[in-house]
Amino acid sequence: MATQPRSDMETHPDIVAMRSRHEMAERVATTPRAQAVEAMALITGLYLAASPWIAGFNNFSTLTVNNLIVGIAYALLMSGGFGRAYERSHSMAWGACVLSVWTIIAPWVVAGDVSTTRTIVNNVIVGLVALMLALMAAAAARPVDQSSSGRSSARR
């Protein structure tokens, strides 16, 4: 029974490609711009969660609960906690875009009469800032995603 020589795993094409994608993701994630976007997005999400009490419309229970849940979800999606899986950040940033648009339209959509000047101004401004930050995060993660998808489509 003849045995074939085993190739070194360090030089396997999939391992090499995975390492290069990981190194590119680390370079993108450690730029001052990416770190600033993450920090501002975290602050924006936390403000959205606390905004009913800060802006003074916590007596509208449906919008209060909505902003609390959406703010926490946005902060989790956009925070650096997912830095190890940075190549998935592009999809998470698009999810954050959806939450941002929902924040903008929520005063008119949620149950009850919550569309007052205070709630509208707060949610529209926070929603626009959150949308801008999510789009910036999606743009920053795009080169990493393109290198991942280019390799997987070439294999098919």
Side-chain angles (χ1 to χ4, degrees):
M1 179 153 97
T3 60
Q4 295 179 345
R6 296 179 67 164
S7 64
D8 191 320
M9 283 300 290
E10 298 294 320
T11 60
H12 191 276
D14 288 340
I15 300 286
V16 172
M18 183 175 61
R19 280 198 181 122
S20 70
R21 278 193 330 269
H22 182 70
E23 288 170 3
M24 182 191 306
E26 281 184 0
R27 280 193 304 273
V28 170
T30 57
T31 63
R33 179 180 176 218
Q35 291 174 348
V37 167
E38 277 185 12
M40 289 187 296
L42 179 64
I43 291 168
T44 301
L46 294 176
Y47 173 79
L48 179 61
S51 66
W53 295 276
I54 295 170
F57 58 88
N58 59 343
N59 55 343
F60 300 122
S61 62
T62 54
L63 192 60
T64 300
V65 171
N66 175 73
N67 281 11
L68 180 65
I69 292 170
V70 172
I72 292 170
Y74 183 86
L76 288 175
L77 275 177
M78 295 292 290
S79 70
F82 295 104
R84 296 279 183 239
Y86 197 76
E87 52 197 36
R88 293 182 193 88
S89 295
H90 192 203
S91 345
M92 292 187 302
W94 285 111
C97 286
V98 170
L99 291 176
S100 303
V101 171
W102 171 253
T103 299
I104 294 169
I105 64 171
W108 295 283
V109 178
V110 297
D113 185 24
V114 295
S115 59
T116 65
T117 304
R118 188 177 292 174
T119 61
I120 291 170
V121 168
N122 180 74
N123 276 33
V124 168
I125 291 173
V126 173
L128 288 173
V129 169
L131 182 61
M132 181 184 68
L133 291 170
L135 289 173
M136 289 172 68
R142 188 172 181 171
V144 179
D145 290 335
Q146 287 177 339
S147 71
S148 299
S149 64
R151 188 186 67 80
S152 64
S153 63
R155 291 179 78 183
R156 291 181 186 162

